[in-house]
Amino acid sequence: MESTVPADRPTPESRRQFLRQATLGTGGALLAAGPLSSVLAQQQAPAVITAERLRPQVRSGAMSGDTTRDAAMLWSQTDRVARMVVEYSAHENFKNAQTITGPLALARNDYTARVDLRGLPVAQRLYYRVRFQDLQHKSAWSEPVTGSLIIAGGSGRDISFAFSGDEAGQGWGINEAWGGYRVYETMRRFQPDFFIHSGDQIYADGPIQAEVTLDDGSIWRNLVTPAKAKVAETLDDFRGNFAYNLLDANKKRFMAEVPFLVQWDDHEVRNNWCPDQRIDAADKRYQERDLNLLMQRARQAMFEYNPFRIDSADPQRIYRSFDYGPLLEVFMLDERSYRGANSANAQDRQGADTAFLGTAQMRWLKQSLRRSRSTWKVIASDMPLSIVVPDLNPGVPPDTYEAWANGEHGMPLGRELEVARLLRFIKHHQIRNVVWVTADVHYASATHYTPQKARFTDFEPFWEFVGGPLHAGSFGPGKIDRTFGPDVRHVSIPMDMKQNRPPTELHQFFGIGKIDAKTKAMTVSLHNVDGNKLYGVELAPQA
């Protein structure tokens, strides 16, 4: 397999040292191993030295995200009521830095805070540092946490992005001896302009044990926190799930350099959830059985722990788009909040019971695609189109389906009716160069859809690429529904693979998309945890 990762991989000893520092909560020092080390070396101590216990502490790093046009969100967290202050500059030494006095980090938001930076230059790397000022002791400042970001786009510059999903699932958590979430370090070396996290950012329904015995008798040892020792039910439980992933040094290092675009799937709440459910009594792990209540708590925690740009007109909205100029626009979907209940998915008419995106989101997507002037339109879907995903939760009837497909291979039924109408709309309005990226199924694949092989034929050919898992059990491959003519060009795992394989078997995957500014061609490649290229294809743009 072809390796495209630079050769400066840390030694096992340097990786262990890096991870020990992360677990101890060394704040800004976590970035010292990266390209910003010279920045940290030049940072000066605050003018007034205070007792360490008076300083706000920043242990979860800093993250950027929701970059679009000339704007970016910055996120961080401290341990008390404190004022977020951000400096940013086009220079690594912070020459001519601008300072933004941000909001208070308050207990009601778990001491997280965000700043929306506007008027930023495109296609130029910006360096930022975040500090928190204690409100009671004005001279007490946190150690600075430093990062950088780039807003993709601009004339004459290529665009690149990474995509994947499924993080800390099936009990596979942070194993420091193994190297933590190694895939984040691998993705970082590709230097993408941004990262599409396709959902299952946490496994709120997946407790993590301290030790797991592998098939060969060896022991996988997880870092465990109280929030990850049980299923998430309270708001603090959900917050603790997001905080757990920020204990990983590789993720913190990645998110300090690569902006995140985040959507959710099922495990942010509970496996295969949909609105208005009640958890079956057979699942004894839960005391709280109202899915709507769990959903509200999960959404709040997700917003708190990510650099979301909240829509003031609809503050619960997750679906949104990101415009990167003439080459690319990204459309992030929400396939959880508006869906009907999982069913046999065989209805012959659309209605509330067949909804997946729902009426308002579908209207937004169609209008946004039609309005887009970018060459490439990437639809980030948290579930794949043709891979059949059964709902195997306790108490669910047989032949109940979780995703779009129903496995019937015939004309569209159930949720497939939404897909058919969307694909027809794209064709009839001559919306060119639409590519789908997704995750959810815990293996990677590349699929080309053509009407010549389909039962429903009123659409133009398109591609769908599946990434993941980032760091979770590996599954699949799934059965394929033939309704929309899928031609599966690549599957990343053996057809007879034993299910729920641990990270030690190296079946974690991600995708890289690159758009050439001169030719406007998009190249999409799939990679494993070591960065080896498993599959790639170059897509020529249609006029």
Side-chain angles (χ1 to χ4, degrees):
M1 292 179 290
E2 174 188 356
S3 178
T4 51
V5 179
D8 60 338
R9 183 177 297 281
T11 65
E13 180 55 33
S14 66
R15 184 183 297 279
R16 284 193 294 271
Q17 182 179 3
F18 191 71
L19 287 165
R20 283 196 296 269
Q21 291 173 342
T23 304
L24 292 173
T26 51
L30 289 172
L31 299 175
L36 301 178
S37 55
S38 59
V39 176
L40 295 171
Q42 296 177 44
Q43 290 175 354
Q44 301 297 316
V48 178
I49 304 298
T50 64
E52 189 64 24
R53 62 181 177 81
L54 297 181
R55 291 180 183 270
Q57 300 298 306
V58 183
R59 295 190 174 93
S60 295
M63 178 175 10
S64 66
D66 280 19
T67 51
T68 184
R69 298 188 182 184
D70 65 345
M73 298 293 296
L74 290 185
W75 172 95
S76 191
Q77 181 190 34
T78 187
D79 65 341
R80 67 196 68 184
V81 177
R83 175 76 64 183
M84 184 183 190
V85 177
V86 173
E87 297 172 89
Y88 67 95
S89 170
H91 305 281
E92 196 172 2
N93 63 3
F94 285 88
K95 178 182 178 182
N96 301 325
Q98 298 189 52
T99 301
I100 302 293
T101 301
L104 289 175
L106 300 171
R108 70 186 184 203
N109 297 319
D110 210 22
Y111 303 113
T112 62
R114 288 170 293 193
V115 168
D116 193 351
L117 301 181
R118 298 279 183 165
L120 302 179
V122 177
Q124 178 180 352
R125 185 158 292 277
L126 294 177
Y127 301 87
Y128 63 84
R129 58 189 173 201
V130 177
R131 291 196 296 166
F132 287 90
Q133 182 185 29
D134 188 279
L135 290 191
Q136 294 183 352
H137 306 89
K138 299 294 186 180
S139 62
W141 290 79
S142 70
E143 291 289 340
V145 178
T146 312
S148 68
L149 65 92
I150 194 166
I151 297 178
S155 59
R157 184 184 181 279
D158 299 347
I159 292 178
S160 68
F161 60 93
F163 61 92
S164 191
D166 315 314
E167 186 172 341
Q170 289 72 51
W172 307 111
I174 301 171
N175 182 343
E176 297 172 5
W178 191 73
Y181 297 167
R182 285 164 45 172
V183 69
Y184 273 113
E185 173 59 18
T186 302
M187 287 194 299
R188 186 188 69 84
R189 296 184 180 187
F190 283 83
Q191 298 183 312
D193 295 329
F194 59 89
F195 172 54
I196 297 173
H197 199 306
S198 296
D200 290 345
Q201 193 178 11
I202 63 170
Y203 280 69
D205 58 335
I208 287 176
Q209 299 177 350
E211 295 185 351
V212 181
T213 302
L214 304 181
D215 288 352
D216 63 2
S218 62
I219 302 298
W220 173 276
R221 291 182 170 84
N222 286 312
L223 179 66
V224 179
T225 64
K228 288 304 301 175
K230 62 180 291 293
V231 296
E233 298 178 274
T234 69
L235 176 57
D236 282 342
D237 290 340
F238 287 104
R239 288 166 167 170
N241 272 255
F242 284 99
Y244 177 84
N245 288 335
L246 299 182
L247 296 174
D248 182 73
N250 293 316
K251 179 167 186 174
K252 282 196 284 193
R253 191 179 183 195
F254 178 84
M255 72 189 199
E257 299 179 25
V258 182
F260 275 58
L261 309 183
V262 173
Q263 59 194 154
W264 72 352
D265 193 29
D266 55 336
H267 291 286
E268 280 82 359
V269 182
R270 181 180 179 267
N271 187 42
N272 300 346
W273 73 273
C274 54
D276 302 324
Q277 274 185 328
R278 288 196 63 81
I279 298 176
D280 190 89
D283 193 339
K284 303 297 184 182
R285 302 174 302 166
Y286 285 87
Q287 301 299 312
E288 178 55 66
R289 301 192 177 277
D290 184 346
L291 255 297
N292 286 352
L293 183 57
L294 295 180
M295 173 187 67
Q296 293 167 11
R297 293 168 179 171
R299 190 197 307 264
Q300 178 176 336
M302 181 174 65
F303 283 169
E304 290 173 346
Y305 274 82
N306 282 286
F308 266 93
R309 181 177 289 106
I310 306 298
D311 184 349
S312 59
D314 186 359
Q316 301 302 308
R317 177 173 145 178
I318 293 172
Y319 65 87
R320 60 218 193 278
S321 64
F322 301 97
D323 185 354
Y324 297 109
L327 289 181
L328 175 65
E329 187 165 357
V330 177
F331 303 87
M332 305 285 288
L333 303 185
D334 175 2
E335 294 165 2
R336 285 289 154 190
S337 302
Y338 314 103
R339 65 163 59 195
N342 295 339
S343 69
N345 203 21
Q347 300 90 338
D348 59 5
R349 293 185 181 182
Q350 276 192 270
D353 57 342
T354 67
F356 207 61
L357 299 181
T359 302
Q361 184 177 190
M362 181 62 80
R363 183 186 309 115
W364 164 84
L365 179 58
K366 288 179 177 178
Q367 292 173 349
S368 299
L369 285 169
R370 190 175 181 185
R371 190 167 50 241
S372 178
R373 294 296 175 263
S374 300
T375 299
W376 291 98
K377 297 90 177 168
V378 170
I379 297 178
S381 170
D382 47 279
M383 301 205 77
L385 290 170
S386 60
I387 299 175
V388 179
V389 184
D391 185 348
L392 301 178
N393 272 338
V396 174
D399 300 322
T400 297
Y401 297 100
E402 152 75 348
W404 302 89
N406 59 21
E408 295 290 338
H409 310 297
M411 291 298 291
L413 294 172
R415 293 165 175 167
E416 295 171 339
L417 295 168
E418 274 195 356
V419 180
R421 291 193 176 187
L422 176 60
L423 296 181
R424 181 187 291 119
F425 177 89
I426 290 171
K427 175 185 175 181
H428 289 194
H429 290 278
Q430 300 182 357
I431 301 168
R432 308 301 187 196
N433 310 312
V434 176
V435 172
W436 293 66
V437 298
T438 185
D440 179 69
V441 290
H442 294 228
Y443 68 95
S445 68
T447 302
H448 188 232
Y449 292 82
T450 58
Q452 291 79 10
K453 297 184 177 182
R455 291 300 306 276
F456 174 83
T457 61
D458 195 7
F459 68 96
E460 295 290 342
F462 66 96
W463 282 85
E464 177 190 50
F465 300 95
V466 181
L470 282 163
H471 187 90
S474 301
F475 289 85
K479 295 180 181 179
I480 304 298
D481 187 295
R482 303 294 175 186
T483 296
F484 299 107
D487 179 8
V488 180
R489 301 288 180 85
H490 173 76
V491 172
S492 65
I493 57 174
M495 298 300 292
D496 58 350
M497 185 188 76
K498 185 178 178 180
Q499 300 300 282
N500 192 16
R501 307 322 301 145
T504 52
E505 297 190 12
L506 307 182
H507 291 311
Q508 296 87 47
F509 307 101
F510 63 94
I512 295 289
K514 294 183 179 180
I515 305 174
D516 187 290
K518 295 181 180 179
T519 67
K520 297 186 178 180
M522 177 188 285
T523 301
V524 182
S525 53
L526 299 175
H527 302 261
N528 69 6
V529 66
D530 287 330
N532 295 320
K533 181 179 174 181
L534 307 177
Y535 180 81
V537 61
E538 181 175 307
L539 310 179
Q542 292 181 287

